[in-house]
Amino acid sequence: GWGVVLEVFLVLYGFLGLATICDDYLVLSLEVLCVRWRIREDIAGATFMAFGSAAPEIVVNAVTTLKGQSGTGVGAIIGSGWIAFLLIPGFCALSTEGPLEIKRRPMLRDMLFYTLALGLLSWAFYDGKIEAVEAVILVATYFCYLIVVIVAPIIRRKWRERQGEIVADAKSFVELVEEEKSFLEIMDVKDSDTLQLFVSEVLEESANGDTCCGRVQWFGEILAAPLSYLFMATCPPCKRGSPYECLYPITFIMSFGWVAAFSFIVSTVVERWAALSGLNSGFFGLFLISVGAEIPDTIQSVTVAKRGYGSMAVANSIGSQIINICLGLGVPWAMHNAFGQPVQIADHESLQVAVWFQLGVVLFSFSIFLGAALVLRLKKAILRRRKGYALVFAYFLVLVVYASVTFGQGDASS
């Protein structure tokens, strides 16, 4: 009785701790790192910013891999993909009055690379174990993606200049931070000149509790108060321009340690539930850990979408899934193989089914987002409310069908 209540509380509070430490400390330390090392804004966005966004899923998989339960981490990352491709864009479309406009080129690029990463993942654990070469290929795929992110804008810029177009000079990451712009603005600064006004309006509305997201934020701050005091006592506030800015390495190390601690707590409880229920751990990763890890991204994306910035809201959620698979799975598996032992995926058959479901999700999302835009040669993809309803319905349909298939396989085997 009370033991179950305590376990549920630990899981929920663990998710809250992960969201708080990542948003308030880990990302800030990475921002200062990028400024002090003078890292270009496109590289920073595709590496450190993506890592900060995907940290919960990455660390959960690393912890479960070390504990010999890698299926939980794989399930969490595939489940995050379901949410990123269906639920978050659907909520974004439903939270706005008019249609959202989404840039075609970045979304097409991210969808193609994600499909490639998903196919490699399916190939890697097809036999139930991950060899060193398979893990290295996943990591190498991410670096190929990084090269495309960096080089493609340069090539496009040169082409436009040769066509005689006037191309404005893009500001560097350091210049943008020195202007006191936030990470959110920096990563999408080319989309609009009114982002500063947008951010200030969102913060003002959230502070006054005039929006649904503001009320959620207010309630979350009350629950997170004990965690906030704990983090303040252990992680130096290294915000840009603060007296403790130089302590950003300590903030990064301590915040990453807290992420590992909360991930260990959540994964331990989930594995216990899996053992008691007789279900595989990958199932709980798909249905539970992925939801908890994606709640902060969902709230952030909906808040951004309500201001009309569809590309920023949707592209961030989809793009972060590439680093989830390639680094979130590839790096822990490569490290495990470095000690001479391949990674065993006990639930690989059911997870293989989940991968095929996710491939279907990607194709469905591609048709929703880019189908009409590519056929009609529109400059931007249009996401309307009816498409939002279709995406949300598709997410719950995928959950129900996959659960039915999983339980059906379990009954057949027994």
Side-chain angles (χ1 to χ4, degrees):
W2 288 106
V4 175
V5 174
L6 177 61
E7 289 176 348
V8 172
F9 173 79
L10 287 175
V11 169
L12 296 179
Y13 215 59
F15 287 140
L16 181 59
L18 286 171
T20 304
I21 194 66
C22 287
D23 292 343
D24 295 346
Y25 293 94
L26 183 61
V27 170
L28 284 179
S29 66
L30 293 174
E31 177 182 333
V32 176
L33 182 149
C34 292
V35 173
R36 285 180 166 253
W37 291 7
R38 305 190 70 83
I39 298 174
R40 283 172 44 187
E41 53 95 3
D42 50 359
I43 300 176
T47 55
F48 294 103
M49 182 58 180
F51 173 81
S53 171
E57 293 96 328
I58 292 174
V59 178
V60 165
N61 180 66
V63 170
T64 54
T65 298
L66 293 175
K67 294 167 63 178
Q69 297 287 340
S70 190
T72 305
V74 178
I77 287 177
I78 296 176
S80 296
W82 291 356
I83 296 173
F85 279 85
L86 295 176
L87 204 59
I88 292 179
F91 283 162
C92 289
L94 297 178
S95 64
T96 59
E97 295 293 335
L100 292 177
E101 294 185 346
I102 303 171
K103 290 184 176 181
R104 294 187 314 168
R105 190 180 294 109
M107 175 161 287
L108 179 61
R109 176 200 66 202
D110 290 349
M111 281 192 168
L112 290 177
F113 266 97
Y114 181 81
T115 304
L116 173 62
L118 198 63
L120 291 173
L121 176 63
S122 176
W123 163 73
F125 65 71
Y126 182 79
D127 56 354
K129 62 181 179 180
I130 308 297
E131 302 288 350
V133 64
E134 297 167 338
V136 171
I137 289 176
L138 284 176
V139 176
T141 302
Y142 169 74
F143 285 102
C144 292
Y145 168 73
L146 184 60
I147 292 172
V148 171
V149 169
I150 296 171
V151 174
I154 299 174
I155 297 175
R156 188 166 63 251
R157 179 185 178 87
K158 296 291 185 182
W159 172 258
R160 292 175 63 186
E161 289 177 347
R162 291 186 61 181
Q163 298 299 314
E165 298 183 27
I166 299 176
V167 183
D169 292 332
K171 295 183 179 180
S172 70
F173 183 87
V174 176
E175 291 174 332
L176 293 168
V177 174
E178 287 176 350
E179 294 177 4
E180 297 183 354
K181 292 180 180 292
S182 67
F183 244 46
L184 182 64
E185 299 168 89
I186 292 169
M187 293 304 107
D188 208 63
V189 69
K190 300 175 185 177
D191 277 2
S192 174
D193 295 330
T194 61
L195 278 174
Q196 184 66 46
L197 177 62
F198 149 66
V199 172
S200 62
E201 289 177 353
V202 170
L203 294 178
E204 181 180 356
E205 291 179 3
S206 297
N208 295 333
D210 293 336
T211 64
C212 177
C213 292
R215 288 188 290 271
V216 172
Q217 180 182 2
W218 174 79
F219 182 69
E221 288 176 352
I222 294 178
L223 291 178
L227 293 174
S228 298
Y229 288 116
L230 182 62
F231 296 152
M232 288 173 59
T234 55
C235 302
C238 66
K239 186 177 180 180
R240 175 74 172 163
S242 69
Y244 303 102
E245 178 186 340
C246 60
L247 299 179
Y248 74 94
I250 299 176
T251 303
F252 175 78
I253 294 172
M254 293 301 299
S255 58
F256 197 80
W258 280 114
V259 171
F262 284 116
S263 299
F264 180 83
I265 293 172
V266 170
S267 62
T268 300
V269 175
V270 168
E271 288 163 11
R272 170 177 162 78
W273 289 350
L276 293 176
S277 64
L279 297 173
N280 58 65
S281 58
F283 182 87
F284 279 92
L286 282 162
F287 281 77
L288 181 60
I289 295 181
S290 62
V291 174
E294 288 294 320
I295 286 176
D297 287 343
T298 303
I299 295 175
Q300 181 187 25
S301 295
V302 169
T303 303
V304 172
K306 292 183 72 172
R307 309 305 301 177
Y309 296 92
S311 290
M312 189 192 305
V314 177
N316 180 57
S317 64
I318 293 178
S320 63
Q321 299 305 311
I322 299 172
I323 195 172
N324 272 357
I325 293 180
C326 295
L327 295 188
L329 296 176
V331 171
W333 289 348
M335 293 175 62
H336 194 278
N337 274 276
F339 291 99
Q341 294 181 344
V343 180
Q344 301 295 328
I345 310 293
D347 312 323
H348 69 97
E349 293 181 354
S350 61
L351 290 174
Q352 193 72 252
V353 175
V355 169
W356 287 109
F357 270 77
Q358 178 60 4
L359 284 173
V361 165
V362 173
L363 291 176
F364 177 75
S365 299
F366 181 86
S367 64
I368 290 288
F369 289 122
L370 300 172
L374 293 176
V375 172
L376 301 177
R377 296 188 177 182
L378 302 176
K379 290 185 176 181
K380 292 187 177 182
I382 307 297
L383 187 59
R384 305 181 187 277
R385 291 182 66 89
R386 64 174 181 271
K387 292 184 178 179
Y389 283 117
L391 290 168
V392 174
F393 174 78
Y395 173 74
F396 289 103
L397 180 63
V398 167
L399 291 183
V400 172
V401 175
Y402 178 76
S404 301
V405 171
T406 301
F407 287 121
Q409 288 180 341
D411 293 340
S413 61
S414 60

